[in-house]
Amino acid sequence: MADNARAKRLADLIREVVAQKLQRGIKDPRLGSHVTITDTRVTGDLREATVFYTVYGDDEERAAAAAGLESAKGVLRSAVGAAAGVKFTPTLAFVADALPDTARTIDDLLDKARQSDEKVREASAGAKYAGEADPYRKPGSEDETDGDTAE
C-alpha cells in the first residue's frame, strides 16, 4: 500500500495531465473549453482514480460532456500512464462535481435570508419598546415594597 503523499502526488499529476489533454489533445466537440477538472482522488493502492469535473452550461451540455469523457477515457488513461511512469496505470472514473450546484443553492439561501432581514428591518423601523425604556428596578424606588416585610 502506498503512502498518502505518493497518492496525493499521483492525483495532482493525473489532474494536470487530464486537463492538458482535454485542452490540447482531444478533438471531441462535446469536450470544448467548458469542461473544467476540479479535483482528483486516488485510492490507497493507486489502482483507481476518480476525476471530478464541472461543465458550464445546461443539462444537455453536461450529458454530452459526460459521454465525451467516457469515450475519451482510454486516451486519457494512456496519457496518464505515459506521464506517471508507474507499474500500473490507475483506471479513471469521471464524476460530475456538485460544487457549483451547492454554491448556487447556498447563494440562493443567503439571498432569501437578506430579503427576510430587510423585511424585519422595515417592519421595525418605527417600532417602540413594549414597556419602559429601562425595565429594571432601581434601589430606593417606590415598587420595592412588594411583600418584603413580614408582619
Side-chain angles (χ1 to χ4, degrees), residues 47-107:
R47 296 281 180 158
E48 298 174 8
T50 305
V51 180
F52 295 93
Y53 67 94
T54 59
V55 179
Y56 296 105
D58 58 2
D59 291 335
E60 184 178 314
E61 290 176 346
R62 290 180 188 145
L69 287 170
E70 284 299 316
S71 69
K73 190 183 285 189
V75 174
L76 294 172
R77 185 172 180 219
S78 297
V80 167
V86 292
K87 185 175 182 180
F88 180 81
T89 302
T91 58
L92 301 178
F94 293 96
V95 176
D97 198 353
L99 183 66
D101 295 332
T102 305
R104 193 173 308 114
T105 303
I106 290 173
D107 284 340

Side-chain angles (χ1 to χ4, degrees), residues 10-26 31-32 35-42 49-54 68-70 72-81 83-84 89-95:
L10 183 60
D12 291 342
L13 177 71
I14 290 171
R15 185 179 68 238
E16 290 176 15
V17 168
V18 169
Q20 287 177 357
K21 192 71 173 171
L22 285 176
Q23 187 178 23
R24 296 190 185 120
I26 296 181
L31 299 175
V35 175
T36 303
I37 304 300
T38 57
D39 193 17
T40 306
R41 295 184 185 151
V42 179
T50 305
V51 180
F52 295 93
Y53 67 94
T54 59
L69 287 170
E70 284 299 316
K73 190 183 285 189
V75 174
L76 294 172
R77 185 172 180 219
S78 297
V80 167
T89 302
T91 58
L92 301 178
F94 293 96
V95 176

Side-chain angles (χ1 to χ4, degrees), residues 127-138:
K128 295 183 179 181
Y129 290 106
E132 299 172 12
D134 188 10
Y136 300 104
R137 293 183 186 173
K138 305 276 190 279

